[in-house]
Amino acid sequence: MSEIYSTTVLFEHPLNEKMRTWLRLEFLLQQLYNCSELVDISSALPFFRTVADLLDVLERGDVRTEMLKELDRQQQKMLQWDGVPGVDSERVRTLRNNLKQCAAVLMSAPRLGQALREDRLIASVRQRLSIPGGCCSFDLPGLHIWLHLPQTHRNGQINTWLKTLDPLNAALTLTLDLVRHTEPFKNQISLNGFFQDNAEDADLLRMRIPLVYQLYPQVSGHKTRYAIRFLSLDSENGVIPNRLPFELACC
């Protein structure tokens, strides 16, 4: 069987604004932490643009407070599992300790993103990103000279910036990992490209769709009910099967 027939594509869709923000933060943090060495303007601009996007998201709400509430909620859920027959109590206690540690570090950390906002180089680049072509060397001579400093110097500065995001990244990674594992994937069938069900106060929909169909989901819904409409990548010639098998987890 060829790879395209055996491969599925994972889609995730938030069912509330809190999860929408967290998925966006995860998306941006993953790009920053996985960035390669910044060697020229073509590799540096995506990094600084991602930093600017991250700061914009952090400025739209109290991410720290919401994250601390979720860490506490997850701790309470772990308490309910502790001592239940058949449950790995040691694993549960380890998760509780990890949640407590993440909460303590996040609580004591400075304002999220503050160090990045106050950095002069980041601030100067951020101001020019909205201007078409506004990051030329004559617009940002400071960035131009920074890119000519030794690579070790640039790497050290990037690591310093990322270290200020470690408390948020650790808490977010642990929280989303727990959310994603609250429900297993189940086999489902979509009829004529449509599927709906109850959400039961869920936060996140996860869908695995066979790549061979070249379909993607369009989701509408909230924490109590949702509907999924499957659309073809080729809107003119694509075919949506009458019965589409896919996997779904409502977390």
PDB file of all heavy atoms in Angstrom, residues 74-75 78-79 82 91-101:
ATOM      1  N   GLN A  74      -6.500  20.538  36.659  1.00  0.00           N
ATOM      2  CA  GLN A  74      -5.901  19.246  36.340  1.00  0.00           C
ATOM      3  C   GLN A  74      -5.416  18.539  37.600  1.00  0.00           C
ATOM      4  O   GLN A  74      -5.484  17.306  37.704  1.00  0.00           O
ATOM      5  CB  GLN A  74      -4.747  19.437  35.354  1.00  0.00           C
ATOM      6  CG  GLN A  74      -5.165  19.893  33.967  1.00  0.00           C
ATOM      7  CD  GLN A  74      -5.975  18.860  33.217  1.00  0.00           C
ATOM      8  OE1 GLN A  74      -5.941  17.668  33.529  1.00  0.00           O
ATOM      9  NE2 GLN A  74      -6.720  19.300  32.210  1.00  0.00           N
ATOM     10  N   GLN A  75      -4.921  19.300  38.581  1.00  0.00           N
ATOM     11  CA  GLN A  75      -4.510  18.699  39.851  1.00  0.00           C
ATOM     12  C   GLN A  75      -5.704  18.065  40.563  1.00  0.00           C
ATOM     13  O   GLN A  75      -5.584  16.971  41.137  1.00  0.00           O
ATOM     14  CB  GLN A  75      -3.874  19.756  40.759  1.00  0.00           C
ATOM     15  CG  GLN A  75      -2.496  20.216  40.321  1.00  0.00           C
ATOM     16  CD  GLN A  75      -1.867  21.176  41.323  1.00  0.00           C
ATOM     17  OE1 GLN A  75      -1.707  20.857  42.489  1.00  0.00           O
ATOM     18  NE2 GLN A  75      -1.529  22.373  40.857  1.00  0.00           N
ATOM     19  N   MET A  78      -6.469  14.815  38.997  1.00  0.00           N
ATOM     20  CA  MET A  78      -5.522  13.789  39.406  1.00  0.00           C
ATOM     21  C   MET A  78      -5.873  13.236  40.784  1.00  0.00           C
ATOM     22  O   MET A  78      -5.730  12.033  41.045  1.00  0.00           O
ATOM     23  CB  MET A  78      -4.104  14.354  39.424  1.00  0.00           C
ATOM     24  CG  MET A  78      -3.520  14.709  38.061  1.00  0.00           C
ATOM     25  SD  MET A  78      -3.350  13.302  36.951  1.00  0.00           S
ATOM     26  CE  MET A  78      -4.650  13.702  35.755  1.00  0.00           C
ATOM     27  N   LEU A  79      -6.348  14.107  41.680  1.00  0.00           N
ATOM     28  CA  LEU A  79      -6.757  13.663  43.015  1.00  0.00           C
ATOM     29  C   LEU A  79      -7.879  12.631  42.934  1.00  0.00           C
ATOM     30  O   LEU A  79      -7.926  11.678  43.720  1.00  0.00           O
ATOM     31  CB  LEU A  79      -7.212  14.861  43.856  1.00  0.00           C
ATOM     32  CG  LEU A  79      -6.125  15.681  44.555  1.00  0.00           C
ATOM     33  CD1 LEU A  79      -6.726  16.915  45.208  1.00  0.00           C
ATOM     34  CD2 LEU A  79      -5.382  14.831  45.586  1.00  0.00           C
ATOM     35  N   ASP A  82      -6.368   9.225  42.095  1.00  0.00           N
ATOM     36  CA  ASP A  82      -5.422   8.645  43.053  1.00  0.00           C
ATOM     37  C   ASP A  82      -6.122   7.598  43.921  1.00  0.00           C
ATOM     38  O   ASP A  82      -7.130   7.875  44.567  1.00  0.00           O
ATOM     39  CB  ASP A  82      -4.833   9.752  43.941  1.00  0.00           C
ATOM     40  CG  ASP A  82      -3.578   9.278  44.664  1.00  0.00           C
ATOM     41  OD1 ASP A  82      -3.089   8.170  44.358  1.00  0.00           O
ATOM     42  OD2 ASP A  82      -3.096  10.007  45.560  1.00  0.00           O
ATOM     43  N   ARG A  91       2.118   7.075  38.852  1.00  0.00           N
ATOM     44  CA  ARG A  91       2.060   7.952  37.683  1.00  0.00           C
ATOM     45  C   ARG A  91       1.189   9.166  37.982  1.00  0.00           C
ATOM     46  O   ARG A  91       1.514  10.296  37.606  1.00  0.00           O
ATOM     47  CB  ARG A  91       1.502   7.173  36.490  1.00  0.00           C
ATOM     48  CG  ARG A  91       1.240   8.011  35.243  1.00  0.00           C
ATOM     49  CD  ARG A  91       2.498   8.653  34.713  1.00  0.00           C
ATOM     50  NE  ARG A  91       2.258   9.346  33.464  1.00  0.00           N
ATOM     51  CZ  ARG A  91       3.063  10.250  32.946  1.00  0.00           C
ATOM     52  NH1 ARG A  91       4.180  10.579  33.583  1.00  0.00           N
ATOM     53  NH2 ARG A  91       2.788  10.821  31.796  1.00  0.00           N
ATOM     54  N   VAL A  92       0.073   8.945  38.667  1.00  0.00           N
ATOM     55  CA  VAL A  92      -0.832  10.040  39.022  1.00  0.00           C
ATOM     56  C   VAL A  92      -0.121  11.032  39.935  1.00  0.00           C
ATOM     57  O   VAL A  92      -0.228  12.256  39.750  1.00  0.00           O
ATOM     58  CB  VAL A  92      -2.101   9.497  39.701  1.00  0.00           C
ATOM     59  CG1 VAL A  92      -2.917  10.637  40.299  1.00  0.00           C
ATOM     60  CG2 VAL A  92      -2.949   8.715  38.706  1.00  0.00           C
ATOM     61  N   ARG A  93       0.604  10.527  40.929  1.00  0.00           N
ATOM     62  CA  ARG A  93       1.307  11.425  41.853  1.00  0.00           C
ATOM     63  C   ARG A  93       2.412  12.199  41.131  1.00  0.00           C
ATOM     64  O   ARG A  93       2.656  13.367  41.434  1.00  0.00           O
ATOM     65  CB  ARG A  93       1.888  10.622  43.011  1.00  0.00           C
ATOM     66  CG  ARG A  93       0.835   9.961  43.890  1.00  0.00           C
ATOM     67  CD  ARG A  93       1.426   9.349  45.146  1.00  0.00           C
ATOM     68  NE  ARG A  93       0.438   8.552  45.842  1.00  0.00           N
ATOM     69  CZ  ARG A  93       0.368   7.232  45.789  1.00  0.00           C
ATOM     70  NH1 ARG A  93       1.254   6.540  45.065  1.00  0.00           N
ATOM     71  NH2 ARG A  93      -0.568   6.577  46.459  1.00  0.00           N
ATOM     72  N   THR A  94       3.070  11.539  40.179  1.00  0.00           N
ATOM     73  CA  THR A  94       4.109  12.228  39.408  1.00  0.00           C
ATOM     74  C   THR A  94       3.516  13.381  38.606  1.00  0.00           C
ATOM     75  O   THR A  94       4.069  14.489  38.563  1.00  0.00           O
ATOM     76  CB  THR A  94       4.817  11.246  38.458  1.00  0.00           C
ATOM     77  OG1 THR A  94       5.451  10.220  39.227  1.00  0.00           O
ATOM     78  CG2 THR A  94       5.866  11.963  37.619  1.00  0.00           C
ATOM     79  N   LEU A  95       2.361  13.138  37.990  1.00  0.00           N
ATOM     80  CA  LEU A  95       1.693  14.187  37.225  1.00  0.00           C
ATOM     81  C   LEU A  95       1.257  15.326  38.145  1.00  0.00           C
ATOM     82  O   LEU A  95       1.392  16.509  37.789  1.00  0.00           O
ATOM     83  CB  LEU A  95       0.487  13.613  36.488  1.00  0.00           C
ATOM     84  CG  LEU A  95       0.787  12.744  35.262  1.00  0.00           C
ATOM     85  CD1 LEU A  95      -0.482  12.096  34.738  1.00  0.00           C
ATOM     86  CD2 LEU A  95       1.448  13.576  34.165  1.00  0.00           C
ATOM     87  N   ARG A  96       0.750  14.995  39.314  1.00  0.00           N
ATOM     88  CA  ARG A  96       0.355  16.046  40.261  1.00  0.00           C
ATOM     89  C   ARG A  96       1.549  16.904  40.661  1.00  0.00           C
ATOM     90  O   ARG A  96       1.451  18.139  40.729  1.00  0.00           O
ATOM     91  CB  ARG A  96      -0.272  15.415  41.512  1.00  0.00           C
ATOM     92  CG  ARG A  96      -1.716  14.960  41.346  1.00  0.00           C
ATOM     93  CD  ARG A  96      -2.258  14.467  42.665  1.00  0.00           C
ATOM     94  NE  ARG A  96      -2.191  15.511  43.677  1.00  0.00           N
ATOM     95  CZ  ARG A  96      -2.183  15.272  44.989  1.00  0.00           C
ATOM     96  NH1 ARG A  96      -2.222  14.035  45.443  1.00  0.00           N
ATOM     97  NH2 ARG A  96      -2.151  16.277  45.840  1.00  0.00           N
ATOM     98  N   ASN A  97       2.671  16.249  40.918  1.00  0.00           N
ATOM     99  CA  ASN A  97       3.874  17.008  41.289  1.00  0.00           C
ATOM    100  C   ASN A  97       4.343  17.888  40.143  1.00  0.00           C
ATOM    101  O   ASN A  97       4.782  19.025  40.364  1.00  0.00           O
ATOM    102  CB  ASN A  97       4.992  16.051  41.716  1.00  0.00           C
ATOM    103  CG  ASN A  97       4.710  15.370  43.046  1.00  0.00           C
ATOM    104  OD1 ASN A  97       3.995  15.915  43.884  1.00  0.00           O
ATOM    105  ND2 ASN A  97       5.262  14.182  43.241  1.00  0.00           N
ATOM    106  N   ASN A  98       4.257  17.362  38.921  1.00  0.00           N
ATOM    107  CA  ASN A  98       4.656  18.164  37.762  1.00  0.00           C
ATOM    108  C   ASN A  98       3.744  19.378  37.600  1.00  0.00           C
ATOM    109  O   ASN A  98       4.201  20.484  37.274  1.00  0.00           O
ATOM    110  CB  ASN A  98       4.604  17.315  36.495  1.00  0.00           C
ATOM    111  CG  ASN A  98       5.687  16.250  36.456  1.00  0.00           C
ATOM    112  OD1 ASN A  98       6.664  16.322  37.210  1.00  0.00           O
ATOM    113  ND2 ASN A  98       5.519  15.255  35.615  1.00  0.00           N
ATOM    114  N   LEU A  99       2.445  19.177  37.831  1.00  0.00           N
ATOM    115  CA  LEU A  99       1.491  20.281  37.741  1.00  0.00           C
ATOM    116  C   LEU A  99       1.770  21.336  38.804  1.00  0.00           C
ATOM    117  O   LEU A  99       1.739  22.541  38.534  1.00  0.00           O
ATOM    118  CB  LEU A  99       0.067  19.747  37.882  1.00  0.00           C
ATOM    119  CG  LEU A  99      -0.477  18.950  36.692  1.00  0.00           C
ATOM    120  CD1 LEU A  99      -1.706  18.148  37.093  1.00  0.00           C
ATOM    121  CD2 LEU A  99      -0.801  19.876  35.525  1.00  0.00           C
ATOM    122  N   LYS A 100       2.057  20.879  40.019  1.00  0.00           N
ATOM    123  CA  LYS A 100       2.366  21.812  41.104  1.00  0.00           C
ATOM    124  C   LYS A 100       3.628  22.606  40.796  1.00  0.00           C
ATOM    125  O   LYS A 100       3.688  23.815  41.024  1.00  0.00           O
ATOM    126  CB  LYS A 100       2.541  21.050  42.423  1.00  0.00           C
ATOM    127  CG  LYS A 100       1.257  20.499  43.009  1.00  0.00           C
ATOM    128  CD  LYS A 100       1.536  19.778  44.316  1.00  0.00           C
ATOM    129  CE  LYS A 100       0.268  19.208  44.926  1.00  0.00           C
ATOM    130  NZ  LYS A 100       0.545  18.469  46.189  1.00  0.00           N
ATOM    131  N   GLN A 101       4.634  21.916  40.280  1.00  0.00           N
ATOM    132  CA  GLN A 101       5.896  22.583  39.968  1.00  0.00           C
ATOM    133  C   GLN A 101       5.717  23.613  38.863  1.00  0.00           C
ATOM    134  O   GLN A 101       6.225  24.741  38.958  1.00  0.00           O
ATOM    135  CB  GLN A 101       6.949  21.554  39.557  1.00  0.00           C
ATOM    136  CG  GLN A 101       8.324  22.157  39.285  1.00  0.00           C
ATOM    137  CD  GLN A 101       9.353  21.096  38.935  1.00  0.00           C
ATOM    138  OE1 GLN A 101       9.038  19.910  38.862  1.00  0.00           O
ATOM    139  NE2 GLN A 101      10.589  21.524  38.713  1.00  0.00           N
TER     140      GLN A 101
END
